[in-house]
């Protein structure tokens, strides 16, 4: 598989950049609000309790935000792993690595959708 003939490459680069933005901008904010705000005294215990979080996760827009935060970094990681292995010289297995990396991200997308939209 030649990189010049791969028509899907711009799509994967787009998901890579979107995943990088999410990983750099949204995940630290979510870590702060979900894990650090209460111990630091920024919010009360009633805001981060089970009932409040359950009510928050029942809203469809919040589910979409958590879906985006969970899924886009998967594609970012898949792209990084694929090209890291290419740089390490694993060029004979380039097609199986392509399917393994992006297939894993697609499976993770399905799993995240199932958990967020059917189990919660």
């Amino acid at each position: 598989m030649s990189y010049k003939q791969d028509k899907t490459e711009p799509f994967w680069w787009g998901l890579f950049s979107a995943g990088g933005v999410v990983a750099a901008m949204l995940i630290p904010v979510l870590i702060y609000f979900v894990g650090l705000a209460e111990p630091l005294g920024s919010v009360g215990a009633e805001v981060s309790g089970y009932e409040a979080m359950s009510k928050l996760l029942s809203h469809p827009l919040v589910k979409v935000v958590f879906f985006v935060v969970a899924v886009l970094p998967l594609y970012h990681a898949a792209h990084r792993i694929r090209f890291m292995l290419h740089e390490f010289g694993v060029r004979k297995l380039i097609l199986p690595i392509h399917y393994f990396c992006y297939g894993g991200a697609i499976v993770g997308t399905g799993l995240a959708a199932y958990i967020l939209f059917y189990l919660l």
Side-chain angles (χ1 to χ4, degrees), residues 60-116:
L61 187 58
V62 174
K63 287 183 180 185
V64 169
V65 169
F66 274 99
F67 179 76
V68 166
V69 167
V71 167
L72 286 179
L74 288 176
Y75 290 99
H76 183 80
H79 206 68
R80 277 189 177 256
I81 290 169
R82 177 183 167 209
F83 280 98
M84 178 191 64
L85 290 173
H86 181 75
E87 290 296 319
F88 282 159
V90 186
R91 292 187 174 99
K92 292 182 182 180
L93 300 173
I94 197 158
L95 195 58
I97 289 172
H98 179 86
Y99 288 129
F100 178 74
C101 289
Y102 297 126
I106 290 169
V107 167
T109 299
L111 187 62
Y114 178 73
I115 290 171
L116 282 172

Side-chain angles (χ1 to χ4, degrees), residues 16 29 58 84 94 112:
F16 169 76
V29 172
S58 66
M84 178 191 64
I94 197 158

